[in-house]
């Protein structure tokens, strides 16, 4: 069970890390300044926990088969440490949920402002960043008015003029929706793993006590 849970968590974390939407946005650079990458902290915690869970799961299975109190005790200790990491990841995600979207939004606004600069070189670099946001999120500005104005500039926006009146092209809301949704998945994964760990800690202690009592008799 622990091996399966570890594999699922690792798979979800790797999918979140290499998701095409978030990757294309977070790999953008503006004047050699990378996009805010705080989002990856929670994912790296999940990747580490998932990998360690798979190893610890093997340790627990082997300890149960060998009826080793030492291995089961080590298994329990590892579970406690992993549980603390999961709680930390959950708290981190809850605390930074709004801040991550805010940082990415500010980065987008900075690029959009620079794209209208009189310095052609800086403007072209910023336009590439802005267009990455627009094409990835299918949006075209930070507000309805801005979206309508950007649509008139093909180098900033690839959406059609009619879409400004038929679709929500607000990049701010699209950024918030994307990153809040991903962090929500991280939170769910952390909660599921934490619940599994609680049951496994109880089971490991029951097995350990059972082995100790059987050795007495």
């Amino acid at each position: 069970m622990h091996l399966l849970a570890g594999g699922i968590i690792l798979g979800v974390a790797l999918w979140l890390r290499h998701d095409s939407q978030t990757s294309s946005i977070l790999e953008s650079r503006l004047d050699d300044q990378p996009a805010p990458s705080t989002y990856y902290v929670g994912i790296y915690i999940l990747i580490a926990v998932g990998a360690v869970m798979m190893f610890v799961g093997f340790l627990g299975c082997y300890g149960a088969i060998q009826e080793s109190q030492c291995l089961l005790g080590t298994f329990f200790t590892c579970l406690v440490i992993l549980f603390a990491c999961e709680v930390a990841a959950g708290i981190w995600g809850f605390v930074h949920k709004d801040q991550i979207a805010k940082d990415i939004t500010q980065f987008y606004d900075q690029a959009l402002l620079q794209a209208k600069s009189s310095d052609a070189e800086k403007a072209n670099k910023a336009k590439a960043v802005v267009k990455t946001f627009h094409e990835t999120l299918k949006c075209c500005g930070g507000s309805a008015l801005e979206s309508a104005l950007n649509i008139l500039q093909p180098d900033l926006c690839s959406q059609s003029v009619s879409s400004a009146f038929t679709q929500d092209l607000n990049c701010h809301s699209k950024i918030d929706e994307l990153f809040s949704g991903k962090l929500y998945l991280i939170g769910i994964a952390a909660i599921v793993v934490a619940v599994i760990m609680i049951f496994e800690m109880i089971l490991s202690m029951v097995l350990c006590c059972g082995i100790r009592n059987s050795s007495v008799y």
Side-chain angles (χ1 to χ4, degrees):
M1 184 177 176
H2 202 79
L3 284 167
L4 179 61
I8 292 171
I9 292 302
L10 185 60
V12 170
L14 289 172
W15 170 71
L16 288 169
R17 173 61 182 85
H18 297 289
D19 176 64
S20 58
Q21 282 189 306
T22 52
S23 294
S24 60
I25 289 173
L26 296 177
E27 288 170 5
S28 302
R29 300 184 71 87
L30 184 64
D31 290 337
D32 295 327
Q33 174 195 347
S37 56
T38 315
Y39 165 78
Y40 284 139
V41 174
I43 293 176
Y44 289 142
I45 292 175
L46 278 184
I47 290 174
V49 168
V52 175
M53 275 181 72
M54 294 183 71
F55 171 75
V56 170
F58 172 77
L59 184 69
C61 289
Y62 186 74
I65 293 170
Q66 296 295 317
E67 296 186 352
S68 169
Q69 290 186 55
C70 180
L71 286 175
L72 287 173
T74 305
F75 176 66
F76 178 82
T77 304
C78 291
L79 285 179
V80 171
I81 295 170
L82 288 173
F83 181 77
C85 290
E86 284 299 313
V87 171
I91 293 172
W92 176 88
F94 178 77
V95 170
H96 291 85
K97 180 171 70 67
D98 296 328
Q99 187 60 44
I100 289 173
K102 184 179 178 182
D103 290 343
I104 300 295
T105 299
Q106 288 176 346
F107 180 78
Y108 166 76
D109 287 341
Q110 183 183 348
L112 188 60
L113 183 64
Q114 189 171 309
K116 299 170 184 177
S117 168
S118 56
D119 185 329
E121 185 179 351
K122 291 181 68 175
N124 287 334
K125 289 180 180 179
K127 283 176 181 177
V129 173
V130 170
K131 202 156 187 179
T132 298
F133 273 84
H134 289 174
E135 291 176 353
T136 302
L137 300 175
K138 302 295 186 290
C139 63
C140 201
S143 65
L145 177 60
E146 200 171 60
S147 297
L149 292 174
N150 288 339
I151 281 177
L152 299 177
Q153 302 181 60
D155 56 345
L156 284 181
C157 188
S158 59
Q159 303 292 325
S160 64
V161 175
S162 60
S163 62
F165 304 99
T166 59
Q167 300 176 30
D168 177 17
L169 300 179
N170 188 329
C171 288
H172 290 180
S173 63
K174 292 289 183 73
I175 290 170
D176 184 64
E177 181 183 331
L178 174 65
F179 287 94
S180 293
K182 301 298 184 187
L183 288 168
Y184 182 69
L185 283 176
I186 292 174
I188 290 176
I191 290 170
V192 169
V193 171
V195 171
I196 291 172
M197 284 182 180
I198 290 172
F199 282 107
E200 289 186 336
M201 283 189 281
I202 295 170
L203 182 61
S204 65
M205 280 295 95
V206 170
L207 283 172
C208 199
C209 291
I211 293 168
R212 182 185 302 168
N213 291 336
S214 65
S215 64
V216 171
Y217 297 105

